[in-house]
Amino acid sequence: MAFSKINLASHITGTLPIANGGTNITSGFVNGSTALTELDSWRKTSAMNATSSGDWLTNNLERCDTANFEKVGTGMSQSSGVFTFPSTGVWLIRFQASYYSNSQNDNEYGKSEIHTTPDDSTYTQASQGIVNCSATNQSCTASTQFIFNCENTTNYKVKFRVRSDSSWYVSGSTSLNDTHIEFMKLGDTV
Amino acid sequence: MDWNNRGRPNMIEDWIVTLRGGDFIRWKDSKNKIYSNLEITDGGSKPTEKECNDGLKAMQDQWDKDNT
């Protein structure tokens, strides 16, 4: 038996998200904010040398200005590598560092670290990505990400550190994202 | 230098970062990495322009030797 039409409202109580003959949904959206409100991308514009004790990214950080990139919203701000959020919320933070090995040892590594603080003072390592290069003059990347619940914009901050046990170079660029950081606001503070 | 493509060293930064660990250099203009725009931020002394140029030249010579 074939139906030529189905009456959507038949035997259903409540409000239908689409009317008979309609094409647009009128209800049933996810509650709360759903639009992308904050998205930003920063990068290291110069090289540095990562040591075994770890070295903060402090200098030569710029917002991505490669063609066709546009931040969404207010964007992050930073001073000497300490990043401040423009609004409270749950944020996805992604950090990728590009390493260049200058020595050969199977046990050597490069490490990218995200450190956060809730009090603008004491930083805790929140995540890390580790990469091993087993040959000299080899390029490799280590990335890591962390979901950060920023409860206030005054004291909740984040900064980034690189580490290697044999002074690998960390590369940077002013024209493309090499060693870089991305921020995306996922939603409201929980 | 394009580190990831193992390119020929082509700016004084390539040599300066070999001096020691850390993020100790700052460029007044990151898109114009010339000596006069260079600052040292870890309290160390700023190498002379000649030292930078000589250091870069040595790296270029080594790269040429290894790649020709």
Side-chain angles (χ1 to χ4, degrees), chain A residues 16-46:
Chain A
L16 286 170
I18 189 166
N20 272 325
T23 56
N24 294 323
I25 193 169
T26 56
S27 64
F29 302 114
V30 175
N31 289 330
S33 173
T34 57
L36 182 62
T37 58
E38 289 285 349
L39 182 66
D40 206 357
S41 178
W42 287 70
R43 63 191 174 203
K44 188 101 173 69
T45 63
S46 64

Side-chain angles (χ1 to χ4, degrees), chain A residues 100-175:
Chain A
Y100 187 82
S101 67
N102 54 10
S103 59
Q104 183 173 0
N105 187 324
D106 287 344
N107 297 320
E108 292 174 352
Y109 66 85
K111 186 186 292 186
S112 305
E113 302 173 352
I114 298 174
H115 294 249
T116 61
T117 178
D119 60 10
D120 194 21
S121 176
T122 304
Y123 281 83
T124 302
Q125 183 178 339
S127 72
Q128 65 181 20
I130 303 174
V131 66
N132 175 276
C133 286
S134 58
T136 189
N137 299 328
Q138 190 174 52
S139 300
C140 49
T141 61
S143 64
T144 185
Q145 50 194 356
F146 184 67
I147 295 174
F148 185 53
N149 185 24
C150 174
E151 297 184 23
N152 73 65
T153 58
T154 303
N155 295 321
Y156 282 66
K157 299 178 188 295
V158 61
K159 60 183 180 179
F160 303 89
R161 190 163 71 177
V162 290
R163 185 190 294 265
S164 85
D165 59 356
S166 55
S167 296
W168 287 357
Y169 303 122
V170 176
S171 56
S173 173
T174 59
S175 59

